[in-house]
């Protein structure tokens, strides 16, 4: 199963069953709409709880595509970082 991690405000959140590309596309659509958008994500370890991240110009965050290298080791690769000040 794919897992995408998002670093937002110094905290790590996750999304399961999504591709990094689909998350980036959702974020791009939200930013270009000009309206604030709440991205639903998971918070917590072990027992996930719903969380919502505000996506709007000026809020920096990173989308990380978690790629398992084997059953015992996960390699976090930064797939894209967004700083909406430049948009």
């Amino acid at each position: 199963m794919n897992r995408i991690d998002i670093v937002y405000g110094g905290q790590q959140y996750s999304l399961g069953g999504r591709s990094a590309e689909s998350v980036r596309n959702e974020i791009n659509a939200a930013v270009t709409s000009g309206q604030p958008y709440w991205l639903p994500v998971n918070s917590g370890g072990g027992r996930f709880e719903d969380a919502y991240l505000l996506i709007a110009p000026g809020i920096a965050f990173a989308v990380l595509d978690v790629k398992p290298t084997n059953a015992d080791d996960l390699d976090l690769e930064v797939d894209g970082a967004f700083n909406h000040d430049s948009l």
Side-chain angles (χ1 to χ4, degrees):
M1 176 192 220
N2 291 346
R3 188 179 95 221
I4 304 302
D5 286 346
I6 297 175
V7 178
Y8 183 101
Q11 300 294 318
Q12 190 163 320
Y13 301 90
S14 65
L15 289 167
R18 301 268 315 261
S19 70
E21 181 180 9
S22 75
V23 174
R24 287 193 316 269
N25 289 339
E26 182 175 353
I27 291 166
N28 285 336
V31 170
T32 58
S33 77
Q35 299 294 317
Y37 178 75
W38 292 95
L39 179 68
V41 296
N42 296 313
S43 175
R47 182 174 172 250
F48 290 115
E49 295 185 8
D50 293 339
Y52 299 88
L53 307 179
L54 178 61
I55 307 302
I59 299 174
F61 59 93
V63 175
L64 299 96
D65 192 0
V66 179
K67 298 182 184 282
T69 55
N70 64 40
D72 299 321
D73 185 28
L74 292 178
D75 179 28
L76 296 181
E77 177 181 313
V78 175
D79 185 69
F82 295 85
N83 183 341
H84 299 301
D85 284 335
S86 62
L87 295 176

